[in-house]
Amino acid sequence: MSKIIGIHQPNYLPWLGYFYKISLCDIFIFHDNVELTKKGYTRRTNIRKGNTDEKVFLTVPLKKHSDFISIKDLEIANQAWQQKHINKLHAAYSKTPFFKEYKIMLEKIYNNKFTSLSKLNVEIIKSIADSLKLKTAFFLSSELPVGGKGNEYNLNLCKHFEATQYASGKGAKNYQDETAFQKQGIEIVYNDLFSFLKAHPYTQHEMTFIPGLSIVDALFNIGSDGVLQLFKNYENS
């Protein structure tokens, strides 16, 4: 019986492809005990900039920290940022069909005033996964009796859950040790949703399509049913 595992850092309001990977998986592991990638998306995401064809970052402010700190130990600097993020989302998406529904969901999460970036991100991701009716089981790497570095760590996590397949974005193909997975009888399943969306864009409120934006862009514009249909279209392409 096949078992598909996905592994990724707990990113802030991740892009659509992050949730497509979750949708493929029986088990999804938040890699929270690895170092923060400064140019990554653990503390930030892209949304549309107002009513323009440009994109802008939403960035969660962090307390001063060591360059080698684990994601799970990152602390949010203050509580003034939530309203700023809501305001930017309102400026860009207030006229979209599903804005009110998902704005309410985000505001409920922000009102919890998380001090841990990882816990905030995990809560957001789980809430969105619930809205998409995904049945994936979630785990934190920091709570599992598994270790290793880089590619070896991911392989060990897959072995821990007796995975038969490992879900991965196409971008990881250049640095992943496919042979090591194959020796353990684990197939790496790649997806390239980014390229598919560039060729088959969803409606972004009658504006120029910008690929790679946060999942909230799709939810505000086409709702959860639209997102799930988009995933099906990709699988059938």
Side-chain angles (χ1 to χ4, degrees), residues 89 93 96-99 102-103 106 216-223:
L89 290 169
Y93 300 111
T96 55
F98 299 91
F99 176 72
Y102 293 102
K103 175 177 176 283
L106 288 173
V216 297
D217 181 272
L219 289 174
F220 289 148
N221 279 290
I222 60 176

Side-chain angles (χ1 to χ4, degrees), residues 11-63:
N11 285 353
Y12 178 60
L13 289 174
W15 86 289
L16 202 55
Y18 192 107
F19 289 90
Y20 176 68
K21 181 158 71 172
I22 291 174
S23 75
L24 296 176
C25 295
D26 300 296
I27 292 171
F28 188 87
I29 302 166
F30 294 112
H31 219 347
D32 66 335
N33 58 341
V34 294
E35 293 175 13
L36 173 71
T37 303
K38 290 184 178 180
K39 293 185 178 181
Y41 289 84
T42 307
R43 62 176 299 197
R44 62 182 185 170
T45 193
N46 279 125
I47 64 166
R48 185 178 291 276
K49 182 180 180 181
N51 292 313
T52 73
D53 289 331
E54 300 177 25
K55 59 185 179 182
V56 65
F57 277 117
L58 292 184
T59 303
V60 180
L62 299 178
K63 290 184 178 179

